[in-house]
Amino acid sequence: MKKFLVGVTALATALVLTACSGNAGGSAPGGGAVAQGDPAGGPTTTAPSSTPATSSPTPTPSSSSSTPKPTSSKPKPKPTPKPAPKPAANAADVPCKAALASPGVSACVDLSALKTWLLQDGKVIYGPVKQLPGKKGHATPTGVFHVSAKVKNYHSKAFDAPMPNSVFFLPGIAFHTGSLSVYSHGCIHLSAAASQKYFTTLQNGDVVQVVA
């Protein structure tokens, strides 16, 4: 009877140990645990998963999350300085007393200074501008004269030379477009712009004074 009770007790103990081991596959002979899923009861190694591990994709920075580029502020252009107004020509610099005293429009020619002016009622309205008079042997006469004729496109027969914007104040002597580096045969050479101004401003009868 005692042997029977000992056998029953041993069996009950074995059942309890099997239930607590958590091995659903049962016990191998000799008390070794049988690995799950291995019908032969041999040791197995855990096989790597057939599904490759996927690495987390590197987040692509969006335009909103990207660091904004610094905006280079262009320097504001400096305002262009306005040219200073030229001082008004002083009539005191004009050496032609008769032309200054003449009413209306007149002209003054300074042979030595190579300058000329246009005047109106004793005030300078144009000039001084450069002029080139007659050369040695063909000097421009000095004195007080009057405009006698105007020819827009005159051509000198004596010298076979064009004389644009001719304003005559003596026979064969006139203001006209000419070289400012070569002396004339008595006329007053002016630049094209100056000769145009003299041609449009001076009228027949206006005073022209030439001083040495």
Side-chain angles (χ1 to χ4, degrees):
M1 184 67 177
K2 292 181 179 179
K3 292 182 179 180
F4 176 75
L5 292 174
V6 170
V8 172
T9 302
L11 179 62
T13 302
L15 289 175
V16 173
L17 291 174
T18 300
C20 295
S21 66
N23 186 359
S27 303
V34 179
Q36 294 183 12
D38 184 9
T44 59
T45 57
T46 303
S49 174
S50 61
T51 304
T54 56
S55 60
S56 299
T58 304
T60 303
S62 63
S63 59
S64 60
S65 62
S66 59
T67 304
K69 295 181 179 179
T71 303
S72 58
S73 57
K74 295 182 179 179
K76 293 183 179 180
K78 295 181 180 180
T80 304
K82 295 182 179 180
K86 295 181 179 180
N90 191 351
D93 298 331
V94 179
C96 302
K97 293 182 180 180
L100 286 168
S102 175
V105 177
S106 60
C108 172
V109 178
D110 187 339
L111 297 179
S112 60
L114 303 180
K115 294 179 181 180
T116 180
W117 298 257
L118 286 176
L119 312 169
Q120 182 165 17
D121 299 324
K123 296 180 181 179
V124 177
I125 58 172
Y126 184 72
V129 293
K130 184 178 180 180
Q131 56 82 16
L132 212 58
K135 58 186 176 181
K136 188 176 182 180
H138 297 274
T140 303
T142 59
V144 178
F145 314 100
H146 294 83
V147 175
S148 57
K150 299 197 314 177
V151 183
K152 180 65 176 176
N153 293 301
Y154 185 79
H155 190 94
S156 172
K157 295 179 180 179
F159 302 103
D160 190 20
M163 297 169 51
N165 297 325
S166 288
V167 179
F168 291 91
F169 54 90
L170 275 172
I173 305 296
F175 295 105
H176 67 82
T177 302
S179 172
L180 293 179
S181 58
V182 178
Y183 286 82
S184 73
H185 288 87
C187 290
I188 301 296
H189 284 179
L190 298 172
S191 68
S195 70
Q196 177 65 27
K197 181 68 174 180
Y198 274 58
F199 187 85
T200 56
T201 304
L202 290 170
Q203 305 298 327
N204 288 351
D206 289 340
V207 170
V208 176
Q209 185 176 5
V210 181
V211 297

